[in-house]
């Protein structure tokens, strides 16, 4: 992760203010749409993407359109990477990474664990670094957010709370979460890793939205999380929130999270978690 001084060499504090405010505005607008304009079950249009179980609804696409239109209005020269295809190149040092609806299957089934995820990133030394992250879950009445160097927060019915990851460092006592990809062969391998991990921790959860899983690590509801194969838009905002809450989000070797596997925990739990994930063949055959 870049530090604030490196980022401030590229963009000034007023720009960070503007990015933060736009991320909140766009997440709120998309969240309102998803909450209040969802068609009835029999009218919701659903298509498939990479596999028959990888669904996209008309609401994923409508929410992404709301977000990209706001970004293009206020910051027309920034790059955008959006899960549903709203990707455009930019002319500035800023890029937006958007998952308009993380947890689409939950949304489809009216399970409230889904969120809008928006990260603003700045190019520092040739690498995109998240400087603002907002994960907004209207159905959970929760918004997790962070700005580089300024801490991570949860806004909910009780007000605003500064976040800190859990202090649990014993894997056998840790509550962990994971998720599954949409490809059947990969899912079978992920099941074998779950079988390895289940007897070695307190318990496992599969809530169905990677961004929320990561935010639950940030707010201490979970002690750790791993998942193979999640995409940049699933973790770009939430990884900053975990980091600003004092946790770490890495790949299997301690580097920045990538598409192989994303692991989040406090730094005391991380080594044993990684060791068991390696023993549980978390990378599988690469399918
Ligand atoms: C999915 C969710 C899920 C995770 C999958 C993701 P989507 O994102 O985050 O929890 O297990 O790997 O693809 O498809 O709902 O945006």
């Amino acid at each position: 992760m870049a530090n604030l001084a490196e980022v401030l060499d590229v963009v000034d504090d007023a720009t960070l203010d503007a990015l933060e405010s736009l991320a909140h505005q766009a997440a709120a607008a998309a969240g309102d749409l998803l909450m209040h304009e969802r068609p009835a079950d029999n009218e919701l249009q659903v298509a498939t993407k990479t596999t028959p179980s990888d669904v996209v609804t008309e609401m994923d696409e409508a929410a992404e359109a709301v977000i990209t239109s706001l970004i293009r209005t206020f910051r027309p020269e920034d790059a955008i990477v959006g899960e549903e295809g709203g990707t455009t190149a930019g002319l500035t040092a800023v890029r937006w990474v958007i998952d308009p609806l993380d947890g689409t299957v939950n949304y489809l089934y009216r399970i409230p664990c889904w969120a809008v995820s928006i990260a603003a990133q700045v190019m520092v030394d040739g690498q995109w670094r998240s400087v603002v992250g907002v994960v907004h879950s209207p159905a959970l009445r929760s918004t997790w957010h962070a700005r580089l160097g300024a801490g991570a927060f949860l806004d909910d019915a009780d007000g605003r709370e500064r976040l800190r990851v859990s202090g649990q460092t014993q894997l056998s006592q840790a509550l962990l979460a994971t998720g599954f990809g949409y490809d059947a062969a990969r899912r079978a391998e992920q099941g074998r890793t779950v079988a390895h991990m289940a007897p070695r921790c307190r318990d496992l959860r599969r809530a169905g939205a990677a961004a929320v899983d990561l935010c639950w690590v940030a707010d201490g509801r979970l002690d750790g999380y791993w998942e193979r194969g999640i995409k940049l838009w699933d973790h770009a905002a939430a990884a900053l929130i975990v980091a600003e809450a004092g946790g770490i989000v890495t790949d299997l070797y301690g580097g920045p999270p990538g598409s192989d596997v994303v692991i989040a925990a406090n730094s005391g739990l991380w080594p044993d978690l990684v060791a068991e994930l390696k023993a549980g063949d978390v990378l599988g055959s690469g399918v």
Side-chain angles (χ1 to χ4, degrees), residues 12-190:
D12 59 17
D13 218 32
T15 303
L16 290 180
D17 286 345
L19 299 180
E20 188 173 26
S21 142
L22 182 52
H24 279 274
Q25 183 187 352
D32 282 351
L33 176 96
L34 291 163
M35 267 311 266
H36 304 303
E37 311 222 3
R38 184 193 197 279
D41 285 351
N42 61 354
E43 286 169 12
L44 184 62
Q45 289 176 34
V46 183
T48 57
K49 297 195 287 185
T50 56
T51 72
S53 55
D54 183 7
V55 290
V56 56
T57 72
E58 62 183 297
M59 297 305 286
D60 298 60
E61 287 162 355
E64 185 158 305
V66 163
I67 297 166
T68 54
S69 143
L70 277 166
I71 292 170
R72 288 188 182 121
T73 300
F74 292 105
R75 301 216 25 117
E77 299 195 328
D78 292 349
I80 300 177
V81 177
E83 177 175 12
E84 308 310 339
T87 298
T88 46
L91 300 169
T92 70
V94 174
R95 122 178 141 171
W96 296 85
V97 181
I98 300 161
D99 189 342
L101 175 46
D102 183 42
T104 301
V105 175
N106 281 345
Y107 184 78
L108 190 61
Y109 281 77
R110 296 186 178 280
I111 294 169
C113 186
W114 53 266
V116 179
S117 172
I118 301 179
Q121 299 188 317
V122 168
M123 176 70 85
V124 179
D125 289 338
Q127 306 250 33
W128 290 107
R129 308 290 188 183
S130 293
V131 294
V132 166
V134 176
V135 175
H136 174 52
S137 177
L140 297 176
R141 298 192 174 84
S142 299
T143 306
W144 297 265
H145 54 101
R147 171 169 165 166
L148 184 66
F153 299 87
L154 167 61
D155 295 354
D156 64 11
D158 297 326
R160 177 166 291 183
E161 174 197 350
R162 188 168 185 140
L163 301 182
R164 184 78 209 155
V165 290
S166 90
Q168 180 57 258
T169 57
Q170 284 187 54
L171 188 60
S172 63
Q173 299 301 307
L175 182 62
L176 306 177
T178 190
F180 301 110
Y182 293 113
D183 175 79
R186 173 177 295 183
R187 217 176 250 197
E189 293 186 351
Q190 288 174 312

Side-chain angles (χ1 to χ4, degrees), residues 166-176 197-204 220-224 266 269 272:
S166 90
Q168 180 57 258
T169 57
Q170 284 187 54
L171 188 60
S172 63
Q173 299 301 307
L175 182 62
L176 306 177
M197 297 302 289
R200 293 173 168 81
C201 62
R202 182 188 295 277
D203 206 346
L204 290 171
R221 286 179 167 101
L222 291 170
D223 299 306
N266 66 60
L269 179 64
D272 285 354

